[in-house]
């Protein structure tokens, strides 16, 4: 697991809808800032600022090939963020399975008590 | 302090009347039987409950696989409606697994009647505030969508390697 600071950067990067839209674009293919700005109602410098936040959270990497600088989605940090949520989901599901069994046992015992009365 | 939308939502129907389901969360002997993964132990003399709005629930957990790890749970109950609702902030401290740092997490458990006499639990949980970021409206769905996209990409990549 990454440290708390890193996760915190990932979550706060994900908190913004524009940055999520950018990530969704990059999930399809690598793209330059020009390509990313096209469908978005904002300027290239504004998109560049969002890319910087994503890069600091290690959610994207940027490579230079020729004069184009393409952004590439890095899936590992996203996976770690999802893992945090999954961890809680697993905890609840495991507990609730046991709760099911417990409630069945309690009610079976109650029925038995009633029969014996 | 907390974003409004929970990051985790679980719905579950229990084959028991609502009163009994509520008791399973609020009676120490009940909770100790089912809370946590199998093999989890809650020492009875360290369970302290005062279930009411403004009250608390406290206990210690020992994991079967790692008995040296002691996890302390301290819940501040912010809202309680008998048989209907438990809401609070859970503080998790002690020696935690996987280098997890102590954290706090807000939760809400609603108990609803099902038409057939069973009980539906609606569980909501919010990530620790320091992790969730200042405004996360809608990102849970976005994350799910991204996750699906990424899984698809990975499947394609795996195919490509063959």
């Amino acid at each position: 697991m990454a440290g708390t600071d890193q996760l915190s950067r990932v979550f706060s990067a994900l908190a913004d809808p524009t940055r999520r839209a950018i990530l969704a674009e990059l999930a399809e293919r690598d793209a330059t800032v020009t390509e990313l700005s096209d469908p978005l109602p904002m300027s290239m410098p504004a998109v560049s600022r969002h890319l910087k936040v994503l890069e600091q959270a290690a959610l994207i990497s940027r490579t230079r090939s020729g004069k184009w600088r393409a952004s590439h989605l890095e899936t590992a940090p996203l996976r770690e963020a999802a893992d945090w949520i999954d961890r809680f989901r697993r905890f609840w599901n495991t507990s609730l399975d046991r709760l099911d069994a417990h409630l069945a046992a309690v009610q079976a015992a109650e029925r038995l008590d009633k029969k014996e009365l | 302090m907390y974003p409004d939308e929970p990051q985790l939502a679980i719905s579950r129907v229990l084959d028991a009347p609502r009163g009994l389901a509520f008791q399973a969360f609020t009676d120490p002997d009940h909770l100790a039987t089912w809370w946590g993964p199998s093999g989890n132990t809650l020492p009875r003399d360290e369970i302290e409950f005062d279930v009411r709005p403004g009250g608390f629930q406290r206990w210690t957990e020992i994991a079967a696989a790692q008995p040296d790890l002691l996890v302390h749970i301290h819940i501040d109950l912010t809202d309680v409606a008998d048989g209907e609702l438990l809401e609070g902030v859970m503080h998790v401290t002690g020696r935690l697994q996987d280098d997890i740092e102590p954290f706090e997490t807000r939760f809400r458990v609603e108990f609803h009647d099902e038409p057939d006499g069973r009980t539906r639990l609606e569980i909501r949980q919010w990530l620790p505030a320091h992790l969730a970021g200042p405004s996360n409206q809608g990102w849970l769905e976005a994350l799910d969508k991204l996750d699906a996209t990424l899984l698809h990409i990975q499947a394609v990549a795996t195919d490509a390697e063959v």
Side-chain angles (χ1 to χ4, degrees), chain A residues 19-80:
Chain A
R19 290 197 285 269
R20 291 197 302 269
I22 291 172
L23 290 178
E25 275 297 307
L26 294 176
E28 304 285 334
R29 63 192 164 282
D30 291 1
T32 63
V33 65
T34 319
E35 290 165 337
L36 289 169
S37 305
D38 254 0
L40 294 169
M42 60 177 66
S43 66
M44 258 196 281
V47 172
S48 283
R49 279 196 293 277
H50 283 303
L51 289 175
K52 197 167 185 180
V53 174
L54 291 171
E55 192 172 28
Q56 278 163 355
L59 282 162
I60 63 166
S61 59
R62 288 196 274 186
T63 52
R64 190 181 287 279
S65 73
K67 60 177 177 176
W68 305 112
R69 199 168 179 216
S71 294
H72 172 76
L73 180 70
E74 296 293 338
T75 57
L78 206 56
R79 184 69 49 201
E80 299 229 355

Short mmCIF file of all heavy atoms in Angstrom, two decimals, chain A residues 19-80:
data_model
loop_
_atom_site.label_atom_id
_atom_site.label_comp_id
_atom_site.label_asym_id
_atom_site.label_seq_id
_atom_site.Cartn_x
_atom_site.Cartn_y
_atom_site.Cartn_z
N ARG A 19 -11.06 16.62 -13.79
CA ARG A 19 -9.92 15.69 -13.76
C ARG A 19 -10.40 14.25 -13.98
O ARG A 19 -9.71 13.45 -14.61
CB ARG A 19 -9.16 15.84 -12.44
CG ARG A 19 -8.40 17.15 -12.36
CD ARG A 19 -7.35 17.15 -11.28
NE ARG A 19 -7.91 17.27 -9.95
CZ ARG A 19 -8.11 18.44 -9.34
NH1 ARG A 19 -7.83 19.58 -9.95
NH2 ARG A 19 -8.61 18.47 -8.12
N ARG A 20 -11.61 13.94 -13.49
CA ARG A 20 -12.14 12.60 -13.75
C ARG A 20 -12.45 12.43 -15.23
O ARG A 20 -12.21 11.37 -15.80
CB ARG A 20 -13.40 12.35 -12.90
CG ARG A 20 -13.12 12.26 -11.42
CD ARG A 20 -14.28 11.61 -10.71
NE ARG A 20 -15.52 12.33 -10.90
CZ ARG A 20 -15.97 13.29 -10.08
NH1 ARG A 20 -15.26 13.64 -9.03
NH2 ARG A 20 -17.11 13.89 -10.32
N ALA A 21 -12.95 13.50 -15.86
CA ALA A 21 -13.23 13.44 -17.30
C ALA A 21 -11.93 13.21 -18.08
O ALA A 21 -11.89 12.43 -19.03
CB ALA A 21 -13.91 14.73 -17.75
N ILE A 22 -10.87 13.88 -17.63
CA ILE A 22 -9.57 13.71 -18.29
C ILE A 22 -9.08 12.27 -18.14
O ILE A 22 -8.63 11.64 -19.10
CB ILE A 22 -8.53 14.69 -17.70
CG1 ILE A 22 -8.88 16.14 -18.11
CG2 ILE A 22 -7.12 14.33 -18.15
CD1 ILE A 22 -8.03 17.20 -17.43
N LEU A 23 -9.23 11.73 -16.94
CA LEU A 23 -8.80 10.34 -16.71
C LEU A 23 -9.60 9.37 -17.59
O LEU A 23 -9.05 8.42 -18.13
CB LEU A 23 -8.96 9.96 -15.23
CG LEU A 23 -7.98 10.62 -14.26
CD1 LEU A 23 -8.30 10.19 -12.83
CD2 LEU A 23 -6.54 10.25 -14.60
N ALA A 24 -10.92 9.66 -17.71
CA ALA A 24 -11.76 8.78 -18.54
C ALA A 24 -11.29 8.82 -20.00
O ALA A 24 -11.26 7.79 -20.67
CB ALA A 24 -13.22 9.19 -18.43
N GLU A 25 -10.90 10.02 -20.47
CA GLU A 25 -10.35 10.15 -21.82
C GLU A 25 -9.07 9.33 -21.97
O GLU A 25 -8.88 8.59 -22.94
CB GLU A 25 -10.02 11.62 -22.12
CG GLU A 25 -11.19 12.45 -22.63
CD GLU A 25 -11.71 11.96 -23.95
OE1 GLU A 25 -10.91 11.81 -24.92
OE2 GLU A 25 -12.93 11.71 -24.02
N LEU A 26 -8.21 9.47 -20.95
CA LEU A 26 -6.91 8.80 -21.01
C LEU A 26 -7.05 7.29 -20.86
O LEU A 26 -6.14 6.54 -21.22
CB LEU A 26 -5.96 9.37 -19.95
CG LEU A 26 -5.56 10.83 -20.16
CD1 LEU A 26 -4.70 11.32 -18.99
CD2 LEU A 26 -4.80 10.99 -21.48
N ALA A 27 -8.18 6.86 -20.27
CA ALA A 27 -8.41 5.42 -20.17
C ALA A 27 -8.60 4.81 -21.55
O ALA A 27 -8.35 3.64 -21.77
CB ALA A 27 -9.63 5.15 -19.28
N GLU A 28 -9.05 5.66 -22.49
CA GLU A 28 -9.24 5.19 -23.87
C GLU A 28 -7.91 5.17 -24.63
O GLU A 28 -7.62 4.23 -25.37
CB GLU A 28 -10.22 6.10 -24.62
CG GLU A 28 -11.59 6.26 -23.94
CD GLU A 28 -12.46 5.01 -24.12
OE1 GLU A 28 -12.25 4.29 -25.11
OE2 GLU A 28 -13.33 4.79 -23.26
N ARG A 29 -7.14 6.26 -24.47
CA ARG A 29 -5.86 6.35 -25.21
C ARG A 29 -5.03 7.51 -24.63
O ARG A 29 -5.57 8.41 -24.01
CB ARG A 29 -6.12 6.62 -26.69
CG ARG A 29 -6.81 7.95 -26.93
CD ARG A 29 -7.32 8.11 -28.33
NE ARG A 29 -8.27 9.21 -28.39
CZ ARG A 29 -9.55 9.12 -27.99
NH1 ARG A 29 -10.02 7.99 -27.51
NH2 ARG A 29 -10.35 10.16 -28.03
N ASP A 30 -3.75 7.48 -24.87
CA ASP A 30 -2.88 8.59 -24.50
C ASP A 30 -3.30 9.82 -25.31
O ASP A 30 -3.79 9.67 -26.43
CB ASP A 30 -1.41 8.27 -24.81
CG ASP A 30 -0.88 7.18 -23.89
OD1 ASP A 30 -1.67 6.68 -23.06
OD2 ASP A 30 0.30 6.81 -24.02
N ALA A 31 -3.11 11.00 -24.73
CA ALA A 31 -3.55 12.20 -25.44
C ALA A 31 -2.69 13.40 -25.06
O ALA A 31 -2.15 13.47 -23.96
CB ALA A 31 -5.01 12.49 -25.13
N THR A 32 -2.58 14.35 -25.99
CA THR A 32 -1.86 15.59 -25.72
C THR A 32 -2.83 16.58 -25.08
O THR A 32 -4.04 16.37 -25.08
CB THR A 32 -1.32 16.22 -27.03
OG1 THR A 32 -2.46 16.55 -27.84
CG2 THR A 32 -0.44 15.24 -27.77
N VAL A 33 -2.26 17.68 -24.56
CA VAL A 33 -3.09 18.69 -23.90
C VAL A 33 -4.09 19.29 -24.90
O VAL A 33 -5.23 19.60 -24.56
CB VAL A 33 -2.22 19.76 -23.19
CG1 VAL A 33 -1.41 20.55 -24.21
CG2 VAL A 33 -3.09 20.69 -22.36
N THR A 34 -3.66 19.42 -26.16
CA THR A 34 -4.57 19.95 -27.20
C THR A 34 -5.77 19.02 -27.38
O THR A 34 -6.92 19.46 -27.42
CB THR A 34 -3.83 20.07 -28.55
OG1 THR A 34 -2.53 20.57 -28.30
CG2 THR A 34 -4.58 20.97 -29.50
N GLU A 35 -5.48 17.75 -27.51
CA GLU A 35 -6.56 16.76 -27.70
C GLU A 35 -7.50 16.73 -26.51
O GLU A 35 -8.71 16.59 -26.66
CB GLU A 35 -5.96 15.37 -27.94
CG GLU A 35 -5.25 15.24 -29.28
CD GLU A 35 -4.34 14.01 -29.35
OE1 GLU A 35 -3.90 13.49 -28.31
OE2 GLU A 35 -4.07 13.58 -30.48
N LEU A 36 -6.92 16.88 -25.31
CA LEU A 36 -7.74 16.83 -24.09
C LEU A 36 -8.60 18.10 -23.95
O LEU A 36 -9.71 18.05 -23.44
CB LEU A 36 -6.86 16.65 -22.85
CG LEU A 36 -6.21 15.27 -22.70
CD1 LEU A 36 -5.16 15.29 -21.60
CD2 LEU A 36 -7.27 14.21 -22.40
N SER A 37 -8.07 19.23 -24.41
CA SER A 37 -8.79 20.51 -24.27
C SER A 37 -9.99 20.58 -25.20
O SER A 37 -10.99 21.24 -24.89
CB SER A 37 -7.86 21.69 -24.58
OG SER A 37 -6.71 21.64 -23.78
N ASP A 38 -9.85 19.93 -26.37
CA ASP A 38 -10.88 20.01 -27.40
C ASP A 38 -12.31 19.84 -26.89
O ASP A 38 -13.15 20.72 -27.09
CB ASP A 38 -10.60 19.00 -28.52
CG ASP A 38 -10.07 19.69 -29.76
OD1 ASP A 38 -9.94 20.94 -29.70
OD2 ASP A 38 -9.79 19.01 -30.75
N PRO A 39 -12.63 18.69 -26.26
CA PRO A 39 -14.02 18.48 -25.85
C PRO A 39 -14.38 19.22 -24.55
O PRO A 39 -15.56 19.22 -24.16
CB PRO A 39 -14.09 16.97 -25.63
CG PRO A 39 -12.70 16.55 -25.31
CD PRO A 39 -11.79 17.54 -25.97
N LEU A 40 -13.42 19.84 -23.89
CA LEU A 40 -13.70 20.47 -22.60
C LEU A 40 -13.94 21.97 -22.75
O LEU A 40 -13.27 22.61 -23.55
CB LEU A 40 -12.54 20.23 -21.63
CG LEU A 40 -12.31 18.78 -21.20
CD1 LEU A 40 -10.98 18.65 -20.46
CD2 LEU A 40 -13.45 18.28 -20.33
N PRO A 41 -14.87 22.52 -21.98
CA PRO A 41 -15.17 23.95 -22.07
C PRO A 41 -14.16 24.78 -21.29
O PRO A 41 -14.54 25.58 -20.44
CB PRO A 41 -16.57 24.05 -21.46
CG PRO A 41 -16.61 22.94 -20.46
CD PRO A 41 -15.72 21.85 -20.99
N MET A 42 -12.88 24.58 -21.57
CA MET A 42 -11.87 25.39 -20.86
C MET A 42 -10.60 25.52 -21.69
O MET A 42 -10.39 24.78 -22.66
CB MET A 42 -11.58 24.79 -19.50
CG MET A 42 -11.03 23.38 -19.51
SD MET A 42 -10.64 22.83 -17.85
CE MET A 42 -12.27 22.79 -17.13
N SER A 43 -9.78 26.46 -21.27
CA SER A 43 -8.57 26.78 -22.02
C SER A 43 -7.50 25.71 -21.82
O SER A 43 -7.55 24.93 -20.88
CB SER A 43 -8.03 28.13 -21.56
OG SER A 43 -7.60 28.01 -20.22
N MET A 44 -6.52 25.71 -22.72
CA MET A 44 -5.41 24.76 -22.59
C MET A 44 -4.62 24.96 -21.30
O MET A 44 -4.27 23.98 -20.65
CB MET A 44 -4.49 24.87 -23.81
CG MET A 44 -4.73 23.75 -24.80
SD MET A 44 -3.38 23.60 -25.96
CE MET A 44 -3.77 24.92 -27.09
N PRO A 45 -4.34 26.23 -20.91
CA PRO A 45 -3.62 26.40 -19.63
C PRO A 45 -4.38 25.81 -18.45
O PRO A 45 -3.78 25.24 -17.53
CB PRO A 45 -3.51 27.92 -19.50
CG PRO A 45 -3.58 28.44 -20.89
CD PRO A 45 -4.48 27.50 -21.64
N ALA A 46 -5.73 25.92 -18.49
CA ALA A 46 -6.53 25.36 -17.40
C ALA A 46 -6.41 23.84 -17.38
O ALA A 46 -6.24 23.22 -16.32
CB ALA A 46 -8.00 25.77 -17.55
N VAL A 47 -6.46 23.24 -18.56
CA VAL A 47 -6.30 21.79 -18.64
C VAL A 47 -4.90 21.39 -18.18
O VAL A 47 -4.72 20.39 -17.47
CB VAL A 47 -6.57 21.28 -20.08
CG1 VAL A 47 -6.21 19.80 -20.22
CG2 VAL A 47 -8.04 21.49 -20.45
N SER A 48 -3.91 22.20 -18.55
CA SER A 48 -2.53 21.93 -18.12
C SER A 48 -2.41 21.90 -16.60
O SER A 48 -1.70 21.07 -16.03
CB SER A 48 -1.59 23.00 -18.66
OG SER A 48 -1.32 22.75 -20.02
N ARG A 49 -3.13 22.84 -15.95
CA ARG A 49 -3.08 22.87 -14.47
C ARG A 49 -3.67 21.57 -13.90
O ARG A 49 -3.14 21.01 -12.94
CB ARG A 49 -3.85 24.08 -13.96
CG ARG A 49 -3.01 25.36 -14.02
CD ARG A 49 -3.61 26.47 -13.16
NE ARG A 49 -4.91 26.94 -13.67
CZ ARG A 49 -5.03 27.86 -14.65
NH1 ARG A 49 -3.97 28.40 -15.17
NH2 ARG A 49 -6.22 28.24 -15.05
N HIS A 50 -4.76 21.09 -14.48
CA HIS A 50 -5.36 19.84 -14.02
C HIS A 50 -4.40 18.66 -14.23
O HIS A 50 -4.27 17.78 -13.38
CB HIS A 50 -6.68 19.57 -14.74
CG HIS A 50 -7.82 20.40 -14.24
ND1 HIS A 50 -8.21 20.39 -12.91
CD2 HIS A 50 -8.65 21.25 -14.87
CE1 HIS A 50 -9.24 21.21 -12.75
NE2 HIS A 50 -9.53 21.75 -13.93
N LEU A 51 -3.71 18.69 -15.39
CA LEU A 51 -2.76 17.61 -15.68
C LEU A 51 -1.63 17.60 -14.65
O LEU A 51 -1.15 16.54 -14.26
CB LEU A 51 -2.19 17.77 -17.09
CG LEU A 51 -3.17 17.46 -18.23
CD1 LEU A 51 -2.53 17.77 -19.58
CD2 LEU A 51 -3.64 16.00 -18.19
N LYS A 52 -1.25 18.78 -14.21
CA LYS A 52 -0.18 18.87 -13.22
C LYS A 52 -0.60 18.21 -11.90
O LYS A 52 0.17 17.48 -11.28
CB LYS A 52 0.17 20.36 -12.99
CG LYS A 52 1.50 20.56 -12.32
CD LYS A 52 1.93 22.01 -12.41
CE LYS A 52 3.32 22.19 -11.84
NZ LYS A 52 3.76 23.59 -11.90
N VAL A 53 -1.85 18.48 -11.49
CA VAL A 53 -2.38 17.87 -10.26
C VAL A 53 -2.41 16.34 -10.40
O VAL A 53 -2.02 15.61 -9.49
CB VAL A 53 -3.80 18.40 -9.94
CG1 VAL A 53 -4.39 17.67 -8.74
CG2 VAL A 53 -3.76 19.90 -9.68
N LEU A 54 -2.85 15.88 -11.57
CA LEU A 54 -2.92 14.44 -11.81
C LEU A 54 -1.53 13.81 -11.81
O LEU A 54 -1.34 12.69 -11.31
CB LEU A 54 -3.63 14.16 -13.15
CG LEU A 54 -5.13 14.47 -13.19
CD1 LEU A 54 -5.65 14.37 -14.61
CD2 LEU A 54 -5.90 13.52 -12.26
N GLU A 55 -0.57 14.57 -12.35
CA GLU A 55 0.80 14.05 -12.39
C GLU A 55 1.39 13.96 -10.98
O GLU A 55 2.06 12.99 -10.63
CB GLU A 55 1.67 14.96 -13.28
CG GLU A 55 3.02 14.34 -13.61
CD GLU A 55 3.78 15.18 -14.64
OE1 GLU A 55 3.57 16.41 -14.70
OE2 GLU A 55 4.59 14.60 -15.39
N GLN A 56 1.09 14.99 -10.15
CA GLN A 56 1.60 14.98 -8.77
C GLN A 56 1.00 13.83 -7.97
O GLN A 56 1.62 13.31 -7.05
CB GLN A 56 1.29 16.31 -8.08
CG GLN A 56 2.31 17.38 -8.45
CD GLN A 56 1.84 18.78 -8.14
OE1 GLN A 56 0.70 18.98 -7.72
NE2 GLN A 56 2.71 19.76 -8.35
N ALA A 57 -0.22 13.42 -8.32
CA ALA A 57 -0.85 12.29 -7.65
C ALA A 57 -0.41 10.96 -8.27
O ALA A 57 -0.88 9.90 -7.87
CB ALA A 57 -2.37 12.43 -7.72
N ALA A 58 0.46 11.05 -9.27
CA ALA A 58 0.97 9.87 -9.98
C ALA A 58 -0.14 9.12 -10.72
O ALA A 58 -0.01 7.94 -11.03
CB ALA A 58 1.71 8.92 -9.03
N LEU A 59 -1.24 9.83 -11.00
CA LEU A 59 -2.33 9.20 -11.75
C LEU A 59 -2.05 9.21 -13.26
O LEU A 59 -2.65 8.45 -14.01
CB LEU A 59 -3.66 9.93 -11.47
CG LEU A 59 -4.30 9.58 -10.12
CD1 LEU A 59 -5.32 10.62 -9.72
CD2 LEU A 59 -4.94 8.20 -10.16
N ILE A 60 -1.16 10.12 -13.67
CA ILE A 60 -0.73 10.11 -15.07
C ILE A 60 0.79 10.28 -15.13
O ILE A 60 1.41 10.77 -14.18
CB ILE A 60 -1.38 11.25 -15.91
CG1 ILE A 60 -0.94 12.61 -15.39
CG2 ILE A 60 -2.90 11.14 -15.91
CD1 ILE A 60 -1.24 13.76 -16.34
N SER A 61 1.35 9.86 -16.24
CA SER A 61 2.75 10.18 -16.52
C SER A 61 2.76 10.91 -17.87
O SER A 61 1.81 10.78 -18.64
CB SER A 61 3.59 8.91 -16.58
OG SER A 61 3.07 8.05 -17.58
N ARG A 62 3.80 11.70 -18.09
CA ARG A 62 3.85 12.44 -19.35
C ARG A 62 5.16 12.16 -20.07
O ARG A 62 6.23 12.22 -19.47
CB ARG A 62 3.66 13.94 -19.10
CG ARG A 62 2.19 14.21 -18.71
CD ARG A 62 1.84 15.65 -18.81
NE ARG A 62 2.19 16.36 -17.59
CZ ARG A 62 1.86 17.65 -17.39
NH1 ARG A 62 1.22 18.33 -18.32
NH2 ARG A 62 2.20 18.24 -16.27
N THR A 63 5.04 11.83 -21.32
CA THR A 63 6.22 11.51 -22.12
C THR A 63 6.31 12.49 -23.27
O THR A 63 5.30 13.00 -23.74
CB THR A 63 6.12 10.09 -22.71
OG1 THR A 63 4.86 9.98 -23.39
CG2 THR A 63 6.18 9.04 -21.62
N ARG A 64 7.52 12.76 -23.69
CA ARG A 64 7.73 13.65 -24.82
C ARG A 64 8.25 12.83 -26.00
O ARG A 64 9.23 12.13 -25.88
CB ARG A 64 8.74 14.74 -24.46
CG ARG A 64 8.83 15.85 -25.49
CD ARG A 64 9.88 16.84 -25.05
NE ARG A 64 9.46 17.67 -23.92
CZ ARG A 64 8.69 18.75 -24.05
NH1 ARG A 64 8.24 19.11 -25.22
NH2 ARG A 64 8.36 19.46 -22.99
N SER A 65 7.49 12.85 -27.06
CA SER A 65 8.00 12.20 -28.27
C SER A 65 7.87 13.22 -29.40
O SER A 65 6.78 13.65 -29.74
CB SER A 65 7.22 10.92 -28.59
OG SER A 65 5.95 11.22 -29.09
N GLY A 66 9.00 13.66 -29.93
CA GLY A 66 9.00 14.76 -30.89
C GLY A 66 8.54 16.02 -30.18
O GLY A 66 8.96 16.30 -29.06
N LYS A 67 7.65 16.77 -30.80
CA LYS A 67 7.21 18.02 -30.16
C LYS A 67 5.96 17.81 -29.32
O LYS A 67 5.50 18.71 -28.65
CB LYS A 67 6.99 19.11 -31.22
CG LYS A 67 5.95 18.76 -32.26
CD LYS A 67 5.78 19.95 -33.21
CE LYS A 67 4.79 19.62 -34.32
NZ LYS A 67 4.51 20.75 -35.19
N TRP A 68 5.36 16.61 -29.38
CA TRP A 68 4.14 16.35 -28.62
C TRP A 68 4.47 15.79 -27.25
O TRP A 68 5.35 14.95 -27.09
CB TRP A 68 3.25 15.35 -29.38
CG TRP A 68 2.94 15.81 -30.77
CD1 TRP A 68 3.36 15.25 -31.93
CD2 TRP A 68 2.15 16.95 -31.14
NE1 TRP A 68 2.91 15.94 -33.00
CE2 TRP A 68 2.15 17.00 -32.56
CE3 TRP A 68 1.45 17.93 -30.43
CZ2 TRP A 68 1.47 17.99 -33.27
CZ3 TRP A 68 0.78 18.90 -31.14
CH2 TRP A 68 0.79 18.93 -32.53
N ARG A 69 3.71 16.26 -26.29
CA ARG A 69 3.86 15.73 -24.95
C ARG A 69 2.55 15.02 -24.60
O ARG A 69 1.53 15.68 -24.39
CB ARG A 69 4.15 16.86 -23.97
CG ARG A 69 4.75 16.38 -22.69
CD ARG A 69 5.28 17.56 -21.88
NE ARG A 69 5.85 17.06 -20.63
CZ ARG A 69 5.76 17.70 -19.48
NH1 ARG A 69 5.12 18.86 -19.42
NH2 ARG A 69 6.29 17.20 -18.39
N ALA A 70 2.58 13.69 -24.57
CA ALA A 70 1.35 12.93 -24.36
C ALA A 70 1.21 12.51 -22.91
O ALA A 70 2.19 12.19 -22.24
CB ALA A 70 1.35 11.70 -25.25
N SER A 71 -0.04 12.57 -22.41
CA SER A 71 -0.33 12.09 -21.05
C SER A 71 -0.79 10.64 -21.12
O SER A 71 -1.53 10.25 -22.02
CB SER A 71 -1.43 12.94 -20.42
OG SER A 71 -0.96 14.25 -20.23
N HIS A 72 -0.34 9.88 -20.13
CA HIS A 72 -0.64 8.45 -20.09
C HIS A 72 -1.23 8.10 -18.72
O HIS A 72 -0.70 8.51 -17.68
CB HIS A 72 0.66 7.66 -20.34
CG HIS A 72 0.53 6.20 -20.14
ND1 HIS A 72 -0.08 5.38 -21.06
CD2 HIS A 72 0.91 5.40 -19.12
CE1 HIS A 72 -0.06 4.12 -20.62
NE2 HIS A 72 0.53 4.11 -19.44
N LEU A 73 -2.31 7.37 -18.70
CA LEU A 73 -2.96 7.01 -17.44
C LEU A 73 -2.15 5.95 -16.70
O LEU A 73 -1.74 4.95 -17.29
CB LEU A 73 -4.37 6.46 -17.73
CG LEU A 73 -5.19 6.02 -16.52
CD1 LEU A 73 -5.61 7.22 -15.69
CD2 LEU A 73 -6.40 5.23 -16.96
N GLU A 74 -1.89 6.21 -15.42
CA GLU A 74 -1.22 5.21 -14.58
C GLU A 74 -2.29 4.56 -13.70
O GLU A 74 -2.92 5.24 -12.89
CB GLU A 74 -0.13 5.87 -13.72
CG GLU A 74 1.01 6.48 -14.51
CD GLU A 74 1.85 5.41 -15.22
OE1 GLU A 74 1.82 4.23 -14.79
OE2 GLU A 74 2.52 5.76 -16.20
N THR A 75 -2.48 3.28 -13.84
CA THR A 75 -3.63 2.63 -13.18
C THR A 75 -3.36 2.26 -11.71
O THR A 75 -4.29 2.13 -10.94
CB THR A 75 -4.05 1.35 -13.92
OG1 THR A 75 -2.92 0.48 -13.99
CG2 THR A 75 -4.54 1.67 -15.31
N ALA A 76 -2.10 2.11 -11.32
CA ALA A 76 -1.80 1.60 -9.98
C ALA A 76 -2.39 2.46 -8.85
O ALA A 76 -3.04 1.92 -7.95
CB ALA A 76 -0.30 1.41 -9.81
N PRO A 77 -2.21 3.80 -8.88
CA PRO A 77 -2.75 4.60 -7.77
C PRO A 77 -4.28 4.54 -7.70
O PRO A 77 -4.86 4.54 -6.62
CB PRO A 77 -2.31 6.03 -8.10
CG PRO A 77 -1.24 5.91 -9.10
CD PRO A 77 -1.49 4.64 -9.84
N LEU A 78 -4.90 4.45 -8.87
CA LEU A 78 -6.36 4.35 -8.93
C LEU A 78 -6.80 3.06 -8.26
O LEU A 78 -7.78 2.99 -7.52
CB LEU A 78 -6.77 4.38 -10.39
CG LEU A 78 -8.15 4.88 -10.73
CD1 LEU A 78 -8.36 6.26 -10.17
CD2 LEU A 78 -8.35 4.87 -12.23
N ARG A 79 -6.04 2.03 -8.55
CA ARG A 79 -6.30 0.71 -7.97
C ARG A 79 -6.22 0.78 -6.44
O ARG A 79 -7.03 0.22 -5.73
CB ARG A 79 -5.27 -0.26 -8.56
CG ARG A 79 -5.39 -1.69 -8.18
CD ARG A 79 -6.60 -2.37 -8.77
NE ARG A 79 -6.76 -2.14 -10.19
CZ ARG A 79 -7.93 -2.28 -10.83
NH1 ARG A 79 -9.00 -2.63 -10.16
NH2 ARG A 79 -8.00 -2.08 -12.11
N GLU A 80 -5.19 1.51 -5.94
CA GLU A 80 -5.02 1.60 -4.48
C GLU A 80 -6.17 2.34 -3.82
O GLU A 80 -6.61 1.99 -2.73
CB GLU A 80 -3.70 2.32 -4.16
CG GLU A 80 -2.51 1.56 -4.71
CD GLU A 80 -1.42 1.38 -3.69
OE1 GLU A 80 -1.55 1.91 -2.58
OE2 GLU A 80 -0.44 0.69 -4.02
#
